[in-house]
Every structure is written in structure tokens, then in C-alpha cells.
């Protein structure tokens, strides 16, 4: 099987698993316990906090461990909103955010916050003009992803944060897709908070973290919470945290080389599309005025529904994704496609290819072969027939 | 180090770690992805759901995996409350519940529910009379722990559930301390929902589950949630779930033998206290009209603050707990002590000893030796001095 869906999840690295194993055996105490078994766990946790802070150029006291990216987003946003003054109860987010942030909209409204969303420009970027249009006097917090999981487009967070700070507004960023892929420097980006996840950086599933710049006021989502300085309730998964930080450190150690390799693979794929004259185009063109993560290629395979392409690739041993939040037999254009103003029919043609540590040129060639075969077999058949015949 | 704090957390078993390792390597796909890597993960998840359902005599479609006991309690209670009719917005819980349920009180009130609490009788039991006194016409859900984490007292859930069902009220039970220690048979206990945790049964930290009897109406805490049939948001930790279920199965396989061993160790400890004439008594006497988990001994060491005893045992290489929600240098009587009506000074003398798979008679003897030494050294010193001299 050729796995080209690293943006969805990565396998845990050997080092991460070794760390998990060792910590689960040697440092199994509850980090809240005051005896030595607990103390060892607490001390390991402190070490991990320090290490992760270094990796994002933040302060250790701003690191809070969670059960993953989704919980990180939820707790970061809700806790910061809780800490804002009563005249700052408006929360602004982009329409391209991950589903975990979209599902907060109703929840936060019920908790008395006002939530509104903004679309990016055609290149997928949030500009100062767009922010200007959407900010309100009562806006307290804005959430803007560091990079989009479907298009790979990277937001100019440093510019955005200084624009927001001049207006007294805080910035949270979902850095799940960028962490350990490109430099995520909290200080340089000027973000007030960010979310990261373990299983996107070759760490185990079930762990993640939030960084909140010390000085930013926040209040617990669940008043009375004891763990993680009141940020998150529940026994801390110290072995998971240790394995996550181990993986993050190693992935960041190889980050520059991986970035370069992914750029090469990206060019190779795009070149291949041209040479084979495949009717496949990027959702946001690389020529557009935007930076992208080289390992994420969000494309339209014109004439084919994305779900059909994904299933057909799968049948031939290649895992790619439709990028959209889909479940068997049903899919809708994703939030990102809607935000980019892509018409429904085209949005459903979306596929995402994402590279990882074991991806090779040969994998890309095999993928190109499959896509070429599909294109040849296409003939006159309509999209609808294809889906009904072969889709699940 | 002699570890006698198994009620706080257990080390992950070799089998569980092996399963975690294997699943993290072989079945790393995102269980929501429709390609084969995702399909393998989804199929493993289905297998685990089936297996866990068997272990609690429930239906697989009622199992929802979470990040642990705390999240299980929160999501189970809130989701069921969300599903109740508008004239059933009263939630009743015991004052002995785990901190994770206590911290929901304010949160649920803010969400528009009415929350009230009830105390048990002197033996730590919730009786029909107590329930009768606290039920209201608008009570929709009651949460009663299966057993208390500090006293080990087991509630008569089967009687309680039929009493509640006759009155059209649902029952959730926090079974984190009983699962895989005594039979937890959802059908026989008649519970409508229950919570379990992995790291209490020799599984990895960071995983747990909720069982909600199919037929019980519930609605997502975060509308729009896609994973776990809308119950919980976020990529499912399939390796963690697999390791959890592996551990649970094995622990339940040895449950009868462990129960017998723990009963023997309990008798040995209580006999030792008598023989050495130590001023240590159980918080709820074994002679009282209540069933207890044999591996949990909640005691008062009269004349000593629990935190001092814990630290002194620790200094001599034995990990026990104060049972209370404490943090370094600060502790308050626990919810359970307050619920039992124990006066403050005595409540602060509380210590908890809890046995696990590697506990031996020899460990108990060593603990008895330390406690005996402490008793001899006691002399005329006052509690306060002890704490200030030796406590952290």
C-alpha cells in the first residue's frame, strides 16, 4: 500500500513508540500524586513542557497538554473567550477552519458569545482588508489556521497578529498542519495562542497541546479543574506526552530536509500532470500570491468526483483523501471549498494528496499512472454514473 | 519502591503495550478515512467496540470511546441531559462523586440544567429513602458511582436502577473504579449509562469509554460532531483503544483470582493493625452494612494528618495516597469525607492504600512496619508540628 494521506494522520515513529513503552513502564504514576511515583511523572511532564516550549519558542508555563488537536482548539478558544472582559464577547474565525472549530460555533453561542466567520480571498488568504471588514468593537479573539489542511495555504500570521494587536484583539491559530512541517515560532508569529497535535508529527494518537502566551488572561472551561493548572481535567497522559514531544523533536530535527524533499516531490507531481496532460489542477495555484505547505496538494480532477478518484486509487493500492469531512457513501463540499467560493460540482471533484517521511518519487509515479489510466478510461461517461457504479 | 496506589493509576501491562505498539505501526490510519488504511482502523475499532460491549454485557452500538474517565463522565452526563425532554432538566448526583463530575455542576447550571446533590447514609450507601427525598418531578438523570475511589464502598446499583426506572428517571454510573475489579454487567445493574477508564485496568493512559444503553436518547455536546457517531469529536485513538480493550480483557480474565488475593491482603492488613494495636480505623467499617472493593482501604491514622503519613511512607519507599484532591503543600477534606459527615480534623487524617497485581503480603508487612514506627515515634507531638516539620 502506498500511503499519501499524511495530512490526515501519520504512523507513530519508532522513537516515539519506544518512549511511550518506556514511560508507561517506568513512569506510570499519576502526575498529580505527591509520592515519588507521581513526582517522577510530574517531573517528566515538566521536562516535556520545557522541551515543547523550546520547539515553538514559547514559555514553558504557557504549555497545556490535551488529548489532541480537536480538544486543543476547543479548550484554547473557549478558555480565552472566558477570560475576556464583558465588552469583548465577539469571536471571529475563518470559514476554512478545521471542523473542530466549526462545531464550536453553536456551543459558544449558547455560552453567550457572538460568533461570526470570514471568507479568505481567492488565493485562500486572510488579508488586512478582510479583517478590517469583519472586526467589531467587541471582537476579543480571532482564530485563523496557520495553514489549511486541504490546500496547504499558509496564512501570513505575523502580519495578521500585529494588525490585530494594534486593535487590542487576540489571535489563536490552529497550527496542527504546520507544526514540525515549517517553523512554528510563537514569538515571531505573534500569536497569543496556538494548537498542535501529536499524531500529525509521527507521535502517538490521543495527545496534543495548547500554547497560551503567559499574560493572556484565560479562565477554565470547567471551573474547578485541577490538572494542567486548571486548563484540562483528567489524569495527564504522561507517556503519550513524552512520546509526542520525542516525535516532535525528531520531526523538527528533520524538518528542513523533509521540506526540501516535499518540494521536489511536489514539482515532480505537477510536472507529471503537465507531461501526461491530465485534467488536474491545484485548488489554489502555486503561482498565486500565497505560500503553501509543499507536502499538501489539494487538486481537482476535472470530470471525476473526488470520492470516486479516492476509491479508485484505493482499489489500486494508493491511499489519498477527498479532504472533505466525509463518511461512507456521503460527502459534501468541505468548509474550505465553500470558503474559496468553489462551485459545488467542482468542489466535489476535490482530492488531496499529502506526502510524508516514506514518500518517494516512485510513489508519485505510481499515483500518476493510476490517474492517467482513469483519465483514459473516462470516455464519455458522466460523473454520476461513475459514482453509482463504483462508489460505496 | 512499593506501589500501593493502584486506585490512582496502574502501570500499563505488557500485553497492552504490545498491542499499542503493533496497532500504532500496522493500523495507523485515521478511522474516518475511507481508504484501506482508514478501513483497517475502522474495522479494528468495530472489533474493540464489540469486545468491550461483551465485557460489560452491553450492546456494541452503545459503546463510545473517549480520552479517559473524566471525559467519559462529562460527555455521558451532558449528552444524556441534552436528550431529555424539556420538563426533565433536573440532574441529581451524590456528593461522593469523582471530581470530574463535581466540576460539571457549574457548567451544567450555565447550560440551563438544575443540579442538586445528595449525601449517602453513614455506611456510604445511597438508599431508596435518600433517593425518594431528593427526586423531583423534573429529575431526568441521576449519577451514582459504582464504587467510591476512597472508601471502596459499592452502591447497590441494581436496586437503585429499578427504583429510578419505576419513576421514569435514568441512571448513569461512574464505574471507573469497579470495571475489571468486580463484574460490571450493564444489563444486570440496569444502568442506562456508565463510564470506564483504561489506565485503572492496566491499559494505557489517554483512553476510556462510555456505554449508553441503545434506546436512551442523547444529543451531542458539540452539535456537528462527526466521530464516534457524534458523541466525541477528534481522531479516534485506535491504538489506545485496542490496548485498552486488550488490558481490560486480560484483567477481567484474572478478576476472580485478583479479588480473592485482595481479600486476603485486606484481611492481612486489618489483622496486622489489630495485632500491632495501631490507631488506624477504616473510614467505613467492613462490618457495616455495605459491600466494599477489597483492594481499596480508606483509613484514618488517628493523630496524624494523611498528607504527613503519605510523605513519611514515601520517604521510606512506599507510595500510598491521601485520597483527597490535593496539590503539593495544600489539601482539603475530600468530597467523600464531607459527604460521609466526617469532621474536618478527622477527614484530614485520611489515607488510602490500594492493591494491584504485584502487591504481596510482604508489601503489606513493610507498610505495617512503617506505620508502626510512625506510631512509636509519635510521642507527644501535635499534628500541626509534624506537618510543618516534615511536609512539603
Amino acid at each position: 500500500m502506498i500511503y499519501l494521506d499524511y495530512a490526515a494522520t501519520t504512523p507513530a515513529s519508532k522513537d516515539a513508540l519506544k518512549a511511550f513503552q518506556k514511560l508507561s513502564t517506568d513512569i506510570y504514576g499519576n502526575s498529580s500524586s505527591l509520592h515519588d511515583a507521581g513526582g517522577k511523572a510530574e517531573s517528566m511532564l515538566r521536562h516535556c513542557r520545557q522541551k515543547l516550549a523550546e520547539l515553538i519558542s514559547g514559555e514553558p508555563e504557557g504549555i497545556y497538554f490535551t488529548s489532541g488537536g480537536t480538544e486543543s482548539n476547543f479548550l484554547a478558544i473557549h478558555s480565552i473567550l472566558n477570560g475576556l472582559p464583558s465588552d469583548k464577547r465577539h469571536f471571529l474565525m475563518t470559514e476554512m477552519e478545521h471542523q473542530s472549530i466549526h462545531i464550536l460555533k453553536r456551543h459558544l453561542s449558547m455560552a453567550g458569545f457572538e460568533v461570526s466567520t470570514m471568507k479568505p480571498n481567492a488565493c485562500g488568504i486572510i488579508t488586512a482588508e478582510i479583517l478590517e471588514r469583519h472586526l467589531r468593537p467587541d471582537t476579543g479573539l480571532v482564530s485563523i489556521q496557520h495553514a489549511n489542511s486541504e490546500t496547504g495555504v499558509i496564512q501570513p500570521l505575523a502580519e495578521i497578529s500585529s494588525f490585530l494587536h494594534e486593535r487590542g484583539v487576540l489571535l489563536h491559530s490552529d497550527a496542527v498542519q504546520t507544526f514540525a512541517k515549517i517553523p512554528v515560532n510563537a514569538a515571531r508569529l505573534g500569536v497569543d495562542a496556538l494548537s498542535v497535535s501529536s499524531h500529525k508529527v509521527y507521535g502517538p494518537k490521543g495527545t496534543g497541546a495548547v500554547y497560551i502566551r503567559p499574560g493572556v488572561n484565560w479562565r477554565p472551561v470547567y471551573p474547578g479543574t485541577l490538572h494542567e493548572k486548571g486548563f484540562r481535567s483528567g489524569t495527564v497522559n504522561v507517556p503519550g506526552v513524552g512520546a509526542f514531544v520525542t516525535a516532535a523533536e525528531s520531526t523538527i530535527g528533520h524538518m528542513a530536509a523533509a521540506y526540501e524533499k516535499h518540494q521536489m516531490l511536489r514539482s515532480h507531481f505537477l510536472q507529471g500532470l503537465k507531461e501526461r496532460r491530465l485534467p488536474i489542477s491545484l485548488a489554489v495555484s502555486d503561482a498565486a500570491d500565497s505560500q503553501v505547505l509543499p507536502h499538501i496538494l489539494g487538486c481537482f480532477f476535472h470530470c471525476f468526483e473526488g470520492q470516486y478518484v479516492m476509491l479508485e486509487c484505493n482499489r489500486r493500492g494508493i491511499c489519498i483523501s477527498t479532504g472533505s469531512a466525509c463518511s461512507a457513501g456521503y460527502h459534501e463540499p468541505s468548509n474550505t471549498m465553500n470558503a474559496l467560493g468553489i462551485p459545488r460540482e467542482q468542489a466535489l471533484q476535490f482530492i488531496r494528496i499529502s506526502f510524508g517521511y516514506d514518500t518517494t518519487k516512485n510513489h508519485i509515479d505510481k499515483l500518476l499512472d493510476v490517474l492517467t489510466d482513469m483519465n483514459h478510461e473516462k470516455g464519455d461517461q458522466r460523473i454520476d454514473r461513475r459514482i453509482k457504479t463504483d462508489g460505496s
Side-chain angles (χ1 to χ4, degrees), chain A:
Chain A
M1 190 186 73
I2 297 171
Y3 186 73
L4 294 173
D5 197 11
Y6 284 93
T9 192
T10 62
S13 71
K14 272 191 189 140
D15 283 355
L17 289 175
K18 218 168 118 185
F20 189 85
Q21 188 101 4
K22 193 165 164 51
L23 294 172
S24 293
T25 312
D26 298 351
I27 307 194
Y28 59 83
N30 191 319
S31 58
S32 300
S33 298
L34 290 181
H35 48 56
D36 282 359
K40 273 167 79 177
E42 173 56 31
S43 142
M44 172 52 60
L45 197 55
R46 203 163 43 237
H47 169 77
C48 291
R49 225 183 284 284
Q50 174 72 44
K51 193 47 79 191
L52 184 58
E54 282 167 24
L55 295 175
I56 60 162
S57 302
E59 307 294 323
E61 59 271 34
I63 301 280
Y64 306 94
F65 291 106
T66 68
S67 73
T70 289
E71 191 182 51
S72 290
N73 282 332
F74 166 55
L75 289 178
I77 291 170
H78 202 164
S79 302
I80 293 174
L81 286 174
N82 279 347
L84 289 170
S86 58
D87 60 342
K88 291 278 191 184
R89 300 190 56 90
H90 174 233
F91 170 60
L92 177 62
M93 55 182 265
T94 85
E95 290 190 11
M96 306 171 295
E97 295 305 311
H98 185 259
Q99 184 67 7
S100 58
I101 298 186
H102 274 276
I103 64 170
L104 293 182
K105 285 186 291 190
R106 218 174 105 191
H107 195 76
L108 291 173
S109 302
M110 279 161 57
F113 299 100
E114 280 200 66
V115 181
S116 62
T117 60
M118 55 189 163
K119 282 188 202 303
N121 68 15
C123 303
I125 295 290
I126 299 293
T127 62
E129 294 70 40
I130 294 170
L131 283 170
E132 189 81 74
R133 231 174 26 243
H134 289 87
L135 284 179
R136 305 186 338 193
D138 61 339
T139 307
L141 177 67
V142 175
S143 188
I144 300 177
Q145 58 194 193
H146 194 187
N148 187 270
S149 64
E150 299 185 4
T151 63
V153 170
I154 302 167
Q155 298 296 330
L157 287 188
E159 293 165 37
I160 290 172
S161 67
S162 60
F163 182 90
L164 291 175
H165 289 166
E166 281 166 20
R167 285 151 185 84
V169 178
L170 299 172
L171 174 64
H172 164 263
S173 183
D174 173 356
V176 163
Q177 288 295 344
T178 51
F179 179 57
K181 310 296 164 56
I182 57 172
V184 173
N185 183 313
R188 212 169 300 152
L189 293 175
V191 293
D192 300 290
L194 52 80
S195 305
V196 295
S197 167
S198 165
H199 76 98
K200 308 278 191 194
V201 302
Y202 306 97
K205 292 178 174 60
T207 334
V210 163
Y211 178 65
I212 301 184
R213 183 173 56 74
V216 170
N217 194 29
W218 62 267
R219 278 171 44 208
V221 175
Y222 308 108
T225 294
L226 296 172
H227 300 87
E228 290 297 280
K229 291 175 254 167
F231 189 77
R232 180 184 185 263
S233 193
T235 301
V236 183
N237 177 3
V238 175
V241 163
F244 165 32
V245 172
T246 301
E249 202 177 357
S250 155
T251 305
I252 288 174
H254 299 100
M255 187 166 71
Y259 187 88
E260 210 171 298
K261 184 187 91 168
H262 294 153
Q263 273 189 317
M264 180 275 289
L265 292 172
R266 184 182 190 92
S267 300
H268 185 68
F269 179 72
L270 295 175
Q271 188 60 30
L273 292 182
K274 258 193 213 157
E275 284 168 11
R276 295 162 188 244
R277 296 168 187 265
L278 289 172
I280 296 178
S281 61
L282 286 171
V284 175
S285 158
D286 272 6
D289 187 20
S290 55
Q291 268 197 298
V292 291
L293 292 174
H295 72 290
I296 294 182
L297 288 119
C299 319
F300 303 117
F301 191 169
H302 303 285
C303 308
F304 285 104
E305 273 213 21
Q307 194 154 350
Y308 172 69
V309 180
M310 184 272 289
L311 291 170
E312 194 61 17
C313 284
N314 184 57
R315 203 173 63 79
R316 304 195 200 183
I318 303 176
C319 295
I320 65 165
S321 148
T322 57
S324 73
C326 56
S327 55
Y330 173 85
H331 69 154
E332 278 299 314
S334 73
N335 295 323
T336 301
M337 293 303 112
N338 288 334
L340 288 169
I342 311 282
R344 184 185 156 80
E345 191 177 0
Q346 187 179 353
L348 291 177
Q349 292 169 352
F350 184 80
I351 53 169
R352 179 185 66 188
I353 297 140
S354 52
F355 310 147
Y357 79 116
D358 83 341
T359 311
T360 63
K361 256 186 168 176
N362 185 256
H363 292 165
I364 306 300
D365 289 335
K366 286 203 171 139
L367 173 64
L368 286 165
D369 288 346
V370 171
L371 298 173
T372 306
D373 284 354
M374 288 181 68
N375 195 45
H376 286 154
E377 290 164 12
K378 183 177 61 184
D380 281 340
Q381 294 176 326
R382 289 289 306 151
I383 295 166
D384 292 4
R385 256 220 359 259
R386 285 269 168 178
I387 296 285
K388 279 179 196 147
T389 317
D390 301 276
S392 73

